[in-house]
């Protein structure tokens, strides 16, 4: 009954939305950059999510850590218009880089999928969904690296004294800075093309909303074509290292070498404020009860405070906050977040605005509507609803653009509760496993979703990195799917809670 049908909702956007969707938000780019990152460097390489960042990330670029409201997932760092060289004493020379290339990468994906679903739970109807997808891209690239010995030459240059004002601001914020030490750069200007078509029979509407460029090919048939031209020099993937500033010296270290290390020395604790995530101020014992006894030899020990039980409690705490909101605020949040799911930049702009210590807000569209509603609450911006929205938006931003489109349709079809329970059934038993392990989806949880819901939910799960088998409820747990699945679980829980009376 279950299929790996992946909905081609890349262009999904309602005409009544104040959306600024553009080429920089097209999932076609992210899909390719993901593949390139894995092919080139495995887990050490990070893929670039949007075209805008592909133009701004360079060797020696500084990336700014985003404040997190949880420890169960993380957001990508934000490129800033500053490089490591800008904060060091000037010099007329740079260390030699190591260049591998030119290399050629060709990616062609052809899929023809057909799913037959018996929708007997509601009516005695057989639904047949057919879809085809074609992607083709060829790019030339080079891998540019700063070898460790060459970085030692660069370390002879001291930090600027006095430090630039922006560095003082980053120090006060307590956020980490990362240095790009390896890049995958384009040597040509490839055109990424993506075409898809699909149809449905049996009297049920086609689940994949076509983009504005879609054209009818007959009853129940849609097709769409997308093309995106990249520019020479764009970066598809990169490796980062943590910048550590100590006294007048500096260094870069692997992120995994010392997780306690920070870019700047810890600031003296000044008490609790809205800017400090609540989850970081309480111990694992407060979240999850008393500390568990030492596990027996051979068992799997999860990090303290980071098991599924703690994730569930964290999400539940935020659901309780939602329940305290007025019906009007919940409706405004639900409707306008749904409207922004086709525009990643609009979501980010709202997060950045809410994250300010003083209320500002020159946003337009759905984001402005949410700000206006929050502005009516006494004490804004230092109120719980602000933290709540930031927590929800952070979870949503972990998801891909394709998932945003799928999530918007899930909200429209009111299938969030079914999806929530399905994701819970995957996370709860597998959360502790750091290796690949097969599992079977509960068919009872799939049945209520029916044909369209199954297709949408399948796309959500596959985009998290789960290995799905066509027409089969069996799948494979992958550790890389843990963070996006956790973010998806939180998103489904909170969005559903917003709809509760």
């Amino acid at each position: 009954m279950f299929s790996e049908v992946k909905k081609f909702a890349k262009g999904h956007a309602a005409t009544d939305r104040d959306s600024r969707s553009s080429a920089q938000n097209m999932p076609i780019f992210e899909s390719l950059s993901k593949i390139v990152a894995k092919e080139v460097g495995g887990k050490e390489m990070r893929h670039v999510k949007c075209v805008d960042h592909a133009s701004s990330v360079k060797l020696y670029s500084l990336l700014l850590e985003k404040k997190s409201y949880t420890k169960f997932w993380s957001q990508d760092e934000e490129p800033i218009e500053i490089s490591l060289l800008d904060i060091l004493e000037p010099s007329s020379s740079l260390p030699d880089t190591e260049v591998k290339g030119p290399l050629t990468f060709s990616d062609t994906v052809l899929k023809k999928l057909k799913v037959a679903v018996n929708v007997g739970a509601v009516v005695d109807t057989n639904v047949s969904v057919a879809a085809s997808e074609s992607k083709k891209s060829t790019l030339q690239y080079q891998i540019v690296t700063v070898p460790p010995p060459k970085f030692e030459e660069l370390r002879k240059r001291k930090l600027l004294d006095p430090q630039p004002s922006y560095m003082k601001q980053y120090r006060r914020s307590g956020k980490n800075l990362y240095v790009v030490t390896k890049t995958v750069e384009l040597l040509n200007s490839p055109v990424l093309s993506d075409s898809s078509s699909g149809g449905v029979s049996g009297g049920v509407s086609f689940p994949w909303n076509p983009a504005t460029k879609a054209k009818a090919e007959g009853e129940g048939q849609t097709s769409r074509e997308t093309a995106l031209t990249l520019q020479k020099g764009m970066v598809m993937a990169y490796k980062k290292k943590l910048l550590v500033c100590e006294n007048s010296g500096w260094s870069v270290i692997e992120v995994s070498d010392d997780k306690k290390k920070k870019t700047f020395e810890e600031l003296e604790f000044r008490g609790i404020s809205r800017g400090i995530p609540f989850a970081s101020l309480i111990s694992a014992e407060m979240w999850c009860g008393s500390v568990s006894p030492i596990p027996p030899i051979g068992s799997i020990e999860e990090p303290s405070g980071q098991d599924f039980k703690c994730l569930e409690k964290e999400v539940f705490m935020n659901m309780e906050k939602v329940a305290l909101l007025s019906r009007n605020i919940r409706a405004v949040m639900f409707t306008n977040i749904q409207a922004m799911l086709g525009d990643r930049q609009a979501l980010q702009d709202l997060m950045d605005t809410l994250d300010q210590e003083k209320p500002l807000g020159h946003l337009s569209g759905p984001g402005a509507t949410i700000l206006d509603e929050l502005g009516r609450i006494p004490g804004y911006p230092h109120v719980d609803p602000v933290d709540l929205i930031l927590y929800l938006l952070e979870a949503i931003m972990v998801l891909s653009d394709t998932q945003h489109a799928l999530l918007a349709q899930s909200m429209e079809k009111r299938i969030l509760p079914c999806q929530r329970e399905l994701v819970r059934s995957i996370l709860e038993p597998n959360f502790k496993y750091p290796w690949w392990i097969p599992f079977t989806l509960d068919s009872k949880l799939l049945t209520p979703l029916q044909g369209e819901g199954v297709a949408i939910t399948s796309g959500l799960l596959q985009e998290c990195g789960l290995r799905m088998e066509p027409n089969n409820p069996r799948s494979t747990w992958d550790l890389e799917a843990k963070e996006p699945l956790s973010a998806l679980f939180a998103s489904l829980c909170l969005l559903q809670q917003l709809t509760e009376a």
Side-chain angles (χ1 to χ4, degrees):
M1 182 177 183
F2 191 82
S3 164
E4 72 165 357
V5 175
K6 183 176 179 180
K7 184 160 62 138
F8 314 126
K10 302 179 180 69
H12 174 73
T15 56
D16 61 342
R17 295 178 185 174
D18 179 22
S19 173
R20 293 172 294 162
S21 296
S22 62
Q24 71 177 20
N25 290 323
M26 295 171 62
I28 182 176
F29 175 83
E30 185 180 2
S31 298
L32 181 60
S33 67
K34 273 185 181 179
I35 298 172
V36 172
K38 286 187 176 182
E39 289 292 329
V40 171
K43 293 183 178 180
E44 77 164 9
M45 298 294 288
R46 306 290 293 269
H47 73 279
V48 178
K49 286 190 174 181
C50 63
V51 175
D52 184 42
H53 288 178
S55 302
S56 56
V57 173
K58 304 291 182 184
L59 205 63
Y60 300 117
S61 288
L62 292 185
L63 310 175
L64 178 64
E65 176 186 47
K66 291 183 179 178
K67 182 167 57 183
S68 179
Y69 284 77
T70 183
K71 49 190 171 184
F72 291 101
W73 59 78
S74 58
Q75 298 186 78
D76 287 342
E77 297 76 26
E78 180 183 2
I80 54 180
E81 297 179 0
I82 302 167
S83 80
L84 174 64
L85 307 178
D86 294 327
I87 64 174
L88 300 180
E89 293 178 340
S91 174
S92 58
S93 62
L94 277 175
D96 294 332
T97 57
E98 181 180 288
V99 179
K100 294 181 181 179
L103 303 170
T104 302
F105 180 87
S106 181
D107 179 43
T108 303
V109 178
L110 296 173
K111 290 183 180 179
K112 290 185 178 180
L113 306 167
K114 186 175 182 179
V115 184
V117 181
N118 189 327
V119 195
V122 180
V123 290
D124 187 14
T125 307
N126 290 319
V127 180
S128 176
V129 178
S132 64
E133 178 180 16
S134 174
K135 296 181 182 179
K136 185 177 181 182
S137 55
T138 301
L139 53 88
Q140 292 181 336
Y141 66 94
Q142 63 182 11
I143 304 171
V144 184
T145 312
V146 184
K150 298 298 181 181
F151 235 116
E152 286 303 311
E153 293 181 18
L154 192 63
R155 286 195 62 217
K156 295 176 182 178
R157 293 168 58 178
K158 295 182 179 180
L159 293 170
L160 289 174
D161 187 19
Q163 290 186 352
S165 59
Y166 52 77
M167 286 296 287
K168 294 177 181 178
Q169 291 175 1
Y170 295 140
R171 179 183 291 274
R172 286 194 295 268
S173 73
K175 296 178 181 179
N176 285 327
L177 291 170
Y178 299 87
V179 181
V180 175
T181 59
K182 184 176 182 179
T183 58
V184 178
E185 301 175 0
L186 292 179
L187 294 174
N188 64 338
S189 300
V191 178
L192 309 185
S193 61
D194 185 4
S195 61
S196 61
S197 64
V200 66
S201 61
V204 178
S205 61
F206 188 58
W208 304 332
N209 287 358
T212 54
K213 293 184 179 180
K215 59 182 179 180
E217 293 184 333
E219 184 177 357
Q221 292 289 324
T222 62
S223 69
R224 68 183 295 272
E225 295 183 0
T226 304
L228 175 64
T229 302
L230 303 182
Q231 301 300 317
K232 181 180 178 180
M234 283 184 171
V235 171
M236 301 292 287
Y238 63 90
K239 180 181 179 180
K240 65 175 184 179
K241 289 188 177 183
L242 177 67
L243 173 65
V244 179
C245 299
E246 297 175 319
N247 299 322
S248 60
W250 66 276
S251 62
V252 292
I253 64 172
E254 296 286 350
V255 178
S256 58
D257 284 353
D258 189 348
K259 293 186 177 181
K260 293 183 180 180
K261 275 284 187 182
K262 301 289 182 182
T263 296
F264 305 104
E265 295 178 1
E266 293 280 351
L267 291 177
E268 186 177 336
F269 183 73
R270 297 177 182 176
I272 298 176
S273 69
R274 190 186 66 78
I276 302 176
F278 178 70
S280 67
L281 298 173
I282 58 178
S283 65
E285 291 83 358
M286 291 176 66
W287 272 108
C288 305
S290 58
V291 180
S292 301
I294 298 175
I297 297 175
S299 66
I300 300 173
E301 182 180 4
E302 296 176 277
S304 177
Q306 289 186 260
D307 57 11
F308 178 76
K309 178 182 177 182
C310 292
L311 169 63
E312 196 170 34
K313 286 193 175 184
E314 178 182 286
V315 173
F316 181 73
M317 182 192 74
N318 282 283
M319 289 174 67
E320 286 185 320
K321 289 183 180 181
V322 174
L324 297 175
L325 299 176
S326 70
R327 180 187 297 270
N328 187 61
I329 292 179
R330 293 202 304 270
V332 168
M333 286 174 58
F334 184 89
T335 303
N336 289 280
I337 288 176
Q338 181 182 15
M340 286 190 288
L341 284 174
D343 189 349
R344 180 176 289 271
Q345 189 58 52
L347 292 166
Q348 186 61 58
D349 289 345
L350 178 58
M351 284 190 72
D352 293 342
T353 303
L354 289 172
D355 207 23
Q356 303 297 321
E357 287 299 318
K358 295 182 180 180
L360 26 113
H362 300 288
L363 299 183
S364 59
T369 304
I370 291 177
L371 288 179
D372 289 344
E373 191 63 33
L374 289 175
R376 297 188 178 96
I377 302 175
Y380 173 78
H382 302 281
V383 289
D384 277 350
V386 173
D387 281 350
L388 169 64
I389 299 175
L390 283 169
Y391 181 84
L392 173 57
L393 290 174
E394 182 180 312
I396 290 174
M397 290 295 283
V398 172
L399 307 178
S400 69
D401 289 343
T402 299
Q403 286 175 304
H404 288 178
L406 295 167
L407 193 58
Q409 295 187 58
S410 300
M411 295 165 74
E412 291 173 4
K413 297 183 178 299
R414 305 295 182 182
I415 57 175
L416 298 177
C418 298
Q419 294 175 328
R420 176 190 63 200
E421 294 309 309
L422 183 63
V423 174
R424 183 202 300 272
S425 73
I426 298 172
L427 278 173
E428 189 168 15
N430 298 301
F431 205 79
K432 61 186 177 182
Y433 294 117
W435 53 72
W436 291 342
I437 186 170
F439 68 90
T440 302
L441 293 168
D442 189 342
S443 59
K444 293 180 180 178
L445 297 175
L446 287 170
T447 302
L449 290 167
Q450 302 183 32
E452 295 181 350
V454 169
I456 293 170
T457 307
S458 171
L460 282 171
L461 297 177
Q462 288 186 77
E463 281 290 301
C464 285
L466 291 182
R467 302 185 177 191
M468 320 298 293
E469 295 184 20
N471 306 311
N472 197 317
R474 288 181 295 180
S475 183
T476 303
W477 169 259
D478 190 329
L479 184 61
E480 290 187 16
K482 186 174 180 177
E483 281 198 13
L485 268 177
S486 298
L488 177 60
F489 177 69
S491 300
L492 294 171
C493 288
L494 293 176
L495 289 172
Q496 173 58 28
Q497 187 72 0
L498 286 173
T499 69
E500 298 292 336

